[in-house]
Amino acid sequence: MFRRREAVPFSFVARAAEAEVEAERFRSNVTPPPRERPSVSRLAGRTLIGLTIVGGLAGALLFGLPAMESGAARDAERGSVSQGEAAERR
């Protein structure tokens, strides 16, 4: 590991450790301010954004699944529709 070449005065190290202990003592006394509650309009906006994202993903899935079908499955489906139409014409 890398070692420092210049000497560090002991008083400086002692003061740094003392300041750290003092900072720890005061840090526990400080409490953050309470969080503000979001307004109704902000909650409604977040909800609408979430619903828009979920709706977009669901729509992409709904419209994307038929495009991802294999050609054999589409041909079989078209063939059964054609046979059904032929039976209706008779």
Side-chain angles (χ1 to χ4, degrees):
M1 189 82 184
F2 182 76
R3 262 188 102 155
R4 295 184 83 148
R5 293 178 191 241
E6 71 268 2
V8 177
F10 178 73
S11 61
F12 174 75
V13 174
R15 283 188 194 141
E18 200 175 284
E20 188 175 314
V21 168
E22 192 173 330
E24 282 294 323
R25 186 172 29 154
F26 286 116
R27 190 177 300 147
S28 63
N29 291 339
V30 178
T31 59
R35 294 180 66 175
E36 291 183 25
R37 292 186 61 182
S39 65
V40 174
S41 61
R42 191 166 289 231
L43 283 175
R46 288 179 185 172
T47 303
L48 287 174
I49 288 174
L51 287 174
T52 302
I53 291 171
V54 169
L57 291 172
L61 186 64
L62 182 69
F63 290 119
L65 282 178
M68 292 172 54
E69 284 183 5
S70 65
R74 258 185 275 148
D75 293 340
E77 189 176 305
R78 286 185 187 158
S80 65
V81 171
S82 302
Q83 290 171 358
E85 289 175 0
E88 287 177 9
R89 291 183 186 166
R90 289 185 195 167

